Amino acid sequence: MSDLLSNLILGAGVAFSWSALFYCFAGVSLGMVVGVLPGVGPLPAIAMLLPITFYIDPTEAIIMLAGIYYGGQYGASTASILLNLPGTPPAAVTCLDGYPMAKQGRAGVALFITAIASLVGSMFGIVLVGTFAPVLARFALEFGAAEYFSLILFALIGTSAIGGDSFLRSVSMVAVGLLLGIVGQDVTSGQFRFTFDIPGIADGLSIVAVAMGIFGVSEVMASAHVERDKKPESFGFRNMLPSHSDFCRAWPSMGRGSLFGATCGILPGAGASMAVFIAYAFEKRISKTPEIFGKGAIEGVTAPESANNATAQTAFIPTLTLGVPGDAVMAVMLGALMIHGINPGPGLIEEQPQMFWGLVVSFLIGNAILVILNIPLVGIWTRLLQIPYAVLFPIILALICIGVYSINYSTFDIFLVIAFGGLGYGMKLLRFPPAPLLLGFILSPMLEENFRRALLLSRGDWMTFLVQPISGVFIGLSTALVLFAVITALRQHGPGRHPGALSETE
């Protein structure tokens, strides 16, 4: 404990310098803004600012880039809740209950509780980073190809619980997402799969285009001819505060979401997308009122948001202590460190203690700044809902097009997002859930890669997924989830109904 205290004092001496405070504030402020803008996200901002960091102190550069990252995680929930536009793939889960809350006139409550959930998740992640980084890094080393495959399989099956009442429809959407995820060039053989000689998808479908299409454009199409269904929003601070009942339901889900997020952040390659889907699915499974999910459940907002921000903090553990980035943003962070002559790995904490502990303390400062900035802005953000739809819809579509185009500077991606908007609208009409499709699409390449690698290492022995202890546990949990879902559906509908109809609404 004394060592931890002395390390935090060392980090505070770095993080509380005027220059470090400036770069921390600049990073989190910029991150919040790019997070709010649909389709932009923290990755383009970090990539564009990377050359600037060549001329400043390495520690301050990493503090600023990290601030953009977790600031973007905060900001992405705003567009998700107000406009049903997930600026990043993990924010798509927040749409499921955040947007219904906004339509009910509770946008202020949703944004306020999101800020609190984000803070709780971030603080939980920071404690783990500061206290258990070396231990957690060694735990992450226990995960091989078989373990990752089983973990991803478990996440995909768990996703079936979040799509709606129909287990079969959710599973089918996961399957569609997996198929979409293999479009493009095969990493192993170099062969093009399902590209139909279209150059624009040779490198695969754009994640942003898929997410913005099935969530954002489809919502515009579905709502364009519908009278605005929302209660007048009250903008007083007291009206934005969640009720006692909301807080009682939110706190446990924040804790569970933080735990899921921290775990997925520790595992290299797992990332926030997996964390938020698992956290949401778990909350719905254990809820006594699962029917309210997707209709404005407070737990459906707090669990994924706390998971998202816990992942943003703990994702630095494998990046800094193992040199293994968990996602594209962490890969850019890794490149920034190496450009400055810092080699991430097990010896980083001992070799660069000022940088590591200065970064940890800057997390505390940055998250405090974000809460101070976000809560007063809740009233301003919720006023977006007062804009007439005739004015708002063209703005939304313009932001979507700009955001999608800015990723690859490809006009083909704009046509792609329109196509997925039509697909998403058709899914709405047929009551097929979009969230499982998105998770299947995101995790498909990782699932295939680890499946191949595990079989190669085991010389084609399928039992490798069962004999490895950690992998076997996840396979067992996945099997239990499937059996539980099928048995529950059969009990609800009785033996007289065909078992394929696993939805009350079908």
Side-chain angles (χ1 to χ4, degrees), residues 287-493:
S287 175
K288 295 180 180 178
T289 55
E291 66 277 0
I292 68 173
F293 280 75
K295 301 175 183 177
I298 196 81
E299 302 95 322
V301 174
T302 54
E305 279 303 309
S306 57
N308 189 17
N309 287 272
T311 305
Q313 310 300 326
T314 55
F316 284 89
I317 293 177
T319 302
L320 296 177
T321 60
L322 300 178
V324 180
D327 55 23
V329 177
M330 287 294 107
V332 175
M333 293 283 187
L334 189 66
L337 287 170
M338 297 176 71
I339 288 171
H340 284 285
I342 300 171
N343 296 316
L348 175 72
I349 299 177
E350 286 75 21
E351 295 171 4
Q352 302 282 344
Q354 288 186 319
M355 192 214 76
F356 179 82
W357 293 107
L359 182 63
V360 171
V361 176
S362 78
F363 289 163
L364 296 169
I365 299 170
N367 280 280
I369 292 172
L370 281 168
V371 172
I372 294 171
L373 289 177
N374 269 276
I375 291 180
L377 290 174
V378 168
I380 297 175
W381 296 132
T382 52
R383 291 185 187 274
L384 288 174
L385 295 176
Q386 303 300 311
I387 301 175
Y389 266 17
V391 176
L392 190 60
F393 281 164
I395 295 174
I396 293 174
L397 291 175
L399 287 174
I400 290 174
C401 292
I402 293 170
V404 170
Y405 180 79
S406 66
I407 302 299
N408 298 314
Y409 301 102
S410 169
T411 53
F412 179 81
D413 286 350
I414 297 177
F415 293 103
L416 198 62
V417 78
I418 294 172
F420 275 100
L423 175 64
Y425 182 61
M427 290 165 57
K428 280 180 177 289
L429 295 178
L430 298 173
R431 302 196 307 277
F432 279 95
L437 183 151
L438 184 62
L439 183 65
F441 172 73
I442 293 170
L443 297 182
S444 178
M446 196 189 308
L447 183 77
E448 180 187 11
E449 180 184 351
N450 285 285
F451 177 72
R452 283 182 172 182
R453 188 180 300 164
L455 290 180
L456 284 172
L457 293 174
S458 65
R459 298 178 181 271
D461 184 7
W462 290 72
M463 290 301 294
T464 187
F465 299 107
L466 296 177
V467 297
Q468 302 290 339
I470 299 176
S471 175
V473 168
F474 282 117
I475 293 292
L477 291 173
S478 301
T479 305
L481 270 178
V482 172
L483 292 175
F484 176 76
V486 173
I487 291 171
T488 301
L490 290 176
R491 284 180 177 176
Q492 288 177 346
H493 301 287

Side-chain angles (χ1 to χ4, degrees), residues 72-241:
Q73 303 292 69
Y74 264 78
S77 61
T78 302
S80 298
I81 291 171
L82 297 180
L83 304 173
N84 202 33
L85 294 177
T88 59
V93 180
T94 307
C95 294
L96 300 179
D97 283 279
Y99 185 64
M101 287 184 69
K103 292 176 71 176
Q104 296 164 10
R106 305 188 70 209
V109 173
L111 291 171
F112 186 93
I113 201 70
T114 293
I116 302 302
S118 299
L119 179 64
V120 170
S122 297
M123 291 303 169
F124 187 83
I126 292 168
V127 169
L128 288 185
V129 173
T131 310
F132 302 112
V135 178
L136 295 173
R138 286 195 292 270
F139 169 73
L141 287 173
E142 299 296 324
F143 273 68
E147 287 78 9
Y148 275 115
F149 170 81
S150 303
L151 175 62
I152 296 167
L153 182 66
F154 172 71
L156 292 172
I157 293 176
T159 305
S160 304
I162 74 174
D165 295 325
S166 173
F167 177 73
L168 285 183
R169 290 188 178 196
S170 298
V171 170
S172 66
M173 286 295 97
V174 169
V176 172
L178 291 174
L179 290 174
L180 292 173
I182 65 174
V183 172
Q185 189 174 21
D186 181 11
V187 177
T188 304
S189 67
Q191 295 294 317
F192 291 100
R193 302 180 296 184
F194 305 107
T195 58
F196 304 103
D197 296 325
I198 301 174
I201 57 176
D203 292 329
L205 300 171
S206 167
I207 293 178
V208 175
V210 174
M212 301 292 281
I214 63 174
F215 281 94
V217 175
S218 66
E219 180 61 33
V220 171
M221 296 173 67
S223 304
H225 60 281
V226 177
E227 185 68 24
R228 198 164 193 174
D229 179 23
K230 75 174 211 63
K231 300 174 183 177
E233 182 81 35
S234 218
F235 296 104
F237 180 76
R238 184 170 298 178
N239 300 103
M240 297 175 190
L241 292 175

